[in-house]
């Protein structure tokens, strides 16, 4: 049996599955032995077309003569306007799992459960208690434990005979969370080294600026929150615009518009999480710097306010917002490629490059 996985996160998930699933499958099948081979390659090629990805999975399995092949990709796939979770072809002993459809929480556990059920079904290891042929058997606990996952109809000419999709608002949020997790927003922090350097320098200078002392002492919580939201929004907008992260969909169909909205929302959330982590880090650094550098007598003489814990906190909070604006300007020193590499998974980068190449070819 083979786990065919896209590079990066899908490969990591597949390798963990290869270690834990044989024992679990043996326990459920009365000691039957299962061995997994993990093959890491960009089999999806960044394409959004479900039929193309499914055909590549089947062809790869037939070429290698694998008993069962389960493909894992971190690209969001769609079937007739619905977000695909998994499709199974018992005729070709192949299955395809879209990891973003499993959501952003407990991804590994959900993926292992999905692959476990698919392998049992494909290997015919569940018996025939209900008198049904193996090619008509569902995936057991898969739908009940991963709601809002539901079966979907399959066309007569399609290679798959079972398909599961997401539905409803919960399904949309689950897919969105999975796409954000696939992008790994925490990688944006080290990817913005020049922007962070500019923000730290801005914060260090601002902390010793007596004018900012007076401003911070006069600000109430509402205005500080507004400054926080405004500075973070400015940073997010600047990164998206400057690095050309905004997705421009092809086609005017409702499905294309929904897909474009999904991609852009995931981009905003990915960048937003990364920027928020940077903001919290700046707040902590500025607070420590303020505790070290400020003098109570000087501060009180200039602001007519005693320097207590609340003043340290207020000043660090306000300076973090000012430093974030400085970081937004400093992000212009980063290359577009560096920001994209930090903001997106490898599969998402490939997909966007393919779309850009298609757009360029159609324009010329």
């Amino acid at each position: 049996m083979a786990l065919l996985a896209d590079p990066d996160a899908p490969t990591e998930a597949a390798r963990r599955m290869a270690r834990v699933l044989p024992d679990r499958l043996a326990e459920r099948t009365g000691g039957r032995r299962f061995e997994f081979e993990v093959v890491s390659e960009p089999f999806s090629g960044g394409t959004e077309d479900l039929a193309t990805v499914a055909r590549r999975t089947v062809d790869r399995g037939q070429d290698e003569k694998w008993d069962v092949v389960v493909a894992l990709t971190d690209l969001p796939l769609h079937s007739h306007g619905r977000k695909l979770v998994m499709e199974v072809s018992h005729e070709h002993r192949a299955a395809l799992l879209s990891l973003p459809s499993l959501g952003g929480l407990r991804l590994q556990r959900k993926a292992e459960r999905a692959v476990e059920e698919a392998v049992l079904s494909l290997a015919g290891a569940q018996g025939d208690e209900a008198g049904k042929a193996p090619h008509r058997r569902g995936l057991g606990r898969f739908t009940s434990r991963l709601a809002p996952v539901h079966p979907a109809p399959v066309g007569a000419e399609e290679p798959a005979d079972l398909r599961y999709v997401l539905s409803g608002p919960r399904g949309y949020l689950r897919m969105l969370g999975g796409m954000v997790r696939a992008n790994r927003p925490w990688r944006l922090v080290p990817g913005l080294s020049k922007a962070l350097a500019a923000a730290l320098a801005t914060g260090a200078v601002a902390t010793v600026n007596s004018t900012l002392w007076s401003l911070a002492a006069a600000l109430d919580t509402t205005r500080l929150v507004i400054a926080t939201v405004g500075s973070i929004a400015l940073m997010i907008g600047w990164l998206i615009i400057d690095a050309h992260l905004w997705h421009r969909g092809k086609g005017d169909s409702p499905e294309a518009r929904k897909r474009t909205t999904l991609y852009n929302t995931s981009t905003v959330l990915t960048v937003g999480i990364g920027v928020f982590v940077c903001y919290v880090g700046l707040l902590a650094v500025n607070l420590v710097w303020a505790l070290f550098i400020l003098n109570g007598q000087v501060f009180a003489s200039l602001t007519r306010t005693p320097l207590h814990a609340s003043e340290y906190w207020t000043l660090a909070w306000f300076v973090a917002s000012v430093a974030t604006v400085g970081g937004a300007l400093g992000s212009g020193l980063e290359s577009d490629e560096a920001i994209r590499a930090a903001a997106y998974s490898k599969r998402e980068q490939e997909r966007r490059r393919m779309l850009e190449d298609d757009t360029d070819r159609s324009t010329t």
Side-chain angles (χ1 to χ4, degrees):
M1 300 186 180
L3 295 175
L4 179 62
D6 270 329
D8 206 13
T11 296
E12 295 174 9
R15 287 171 178 162
R16 287 193 289 267
M17 291 179 194
R19 292 193 294 267
V20 302
L21 286 185
D23 292 338
R24 286 165 52 174
L25 289 167
E27 182 179 350
R28 292 187 61 182
T29 58
R32 182 174 176 178
R33 186 177 179 182
F34 292 83
E35 294 182 357
F36 289 93
E37 175 186 356
V38 177
V39 179
S40 177
E41 63 180 44
F43 74 93
S44 68
T47 181
E48 294 176 315
D49 183 59
L50 173 60
T52 300
V53 179
R55 176 51 56 189
R56 290 174 181 172
T57 302
V58 170
D59 291 344
R60 191 77 170 86
Q62 292 176 344
D63 292 342
E64 298 294 336
K65 296 181 173 55
W66 289 319
D67 293 333
V68 170
V69 55
V70 179
L72 309 176
T73 180
D74 58 1
L75 280 177
L77 300 174
H78 295 76
S79 171
H80 306 290
R82 297 184 177 182
K83 303 162 190 66
L84 178 79
V85 180
M86 171 177 275
E87 72 169 30
V88 180
S89 173
H90 288 87
E91 178 184 357
H92 301 98
R93 291 184 175 271
L96 171 64
L97 175 63
S98 175
L99 293 176
S101 65
L102 302 180
L105 301 176
R106 302 190 300 276
L107 175 63
Q108 185 66 29
R109 290 178 56 189
K110 294 175 184 176
E112 289 173 2
R113 188 180 303 126
V115 172
E116 178 183 351
E117 297 294 338
V119 170
L120 286 172
S121 183
L122 290 171
Q126 290 178 310
D128 199 17
E129 304 85 0
K132 297 180 181 179
H135 70 279
R136 294 185 179 275
R137 185 179 296 114
L139 300 190
R141 300 176 297 172
F142 179 69
T143 54
S144 62
R145 292 192 177 187
L146 290 179
V149 179
H150 305 287
V154 181
E157 298 181 355
E158 297 182 78
D161 48 66
L162 282 176
R163 179 174 292 153
Y164 294 90
V165 297
L166 294 173
S167 62
R170 287 181 58 204
Y172 180 88
L173 293 176
R174 183 185 291 270
M175 175 67 82
L176 188 60
M179 293 174 66
V180 172
R181 180 189 175 109
N183 288 335
R184 299 183 178 183
W186 52 88
R187 297 189 306 185
L188 191 63
V189 178
L192 294 176
S193 57
K194 295 178 182 177
L196 285 174
L200 289 171
T202 302
V205 174
T207 302
V208 297
N209 188 301
S210 59
T211 302
L212 287 182
W213 295 355
S214 301
L215 286 174
L219 290 176
D220 56 18
T221 302
T222 301
R223 292 190 177 186
L224 287 170
V225 170
I226 293 175
T228 298
V229 174
S231 62
I232 291 177
L234 177 63
M235 182 72 157
I236 294 172
W238 181 269
L239 287 173
I240 291 176
I241 294 173
D242 187 58
H244 307 288
L245 302 182
W246 197 253
H247 176 69
R248 301 182 184 276
K250 297 173 60 178
D252 296 326
S253 65
E255 182 176 345
R257 288 195 294 268
K258 290 180 181 179
R259 187 176 301 176
T260 299
T261 300
L262 185 65
Y263 283 128
N264 286 331
T265 304
S266 69
T267 295
V268 172
L269 289 177
T270 299
V271 177
I273 292 173
V275 171
F276 180 76
V277 172
C278 292
Y279 186 92
V280 173
L282 287 173
L283 179 60
V285 171
N286 290 329
L287 181 59
V288 173
W289 176 240
L291 289 170
F292 173 76
I293 202 68
L294 292 185
N295 179 276
Q297 292 181 349
V298 176
F299 185 91
S301 66
L302 292 173
T303 64
R304 298 181 181 178
T305 302
L307 184 59
H308 299 308
S310 59
E311 279 68 37
Y312 280 112
W313 170 254
T314 301
L315 178 61
W317 188 356
F318 181 55
V319 168
S321 299
V322 175
T324 299
V325 175
L329 299 177
S331 66
L333 301 174
E334 306 280 1
S335 67
D336 293 350
E337 291 75 14
I339 296 177
R340 291 178 183 178
Y344 294 130
S345 66
K346 292 181 179 179
R347 298 300 97 207
E348 179 68 2
Q349 293 176 56
E350 285 188 8
R351 185 192 67 80
R352 288 175 178 262
R353 279 196 295 267
M354 289 181 63
L355 290 176
E356 290 176 357
D357 293 341
D358 291 343
T359 302
D360 293 341
R361 284 194 295 268
S362 63
T363 302
T364 55

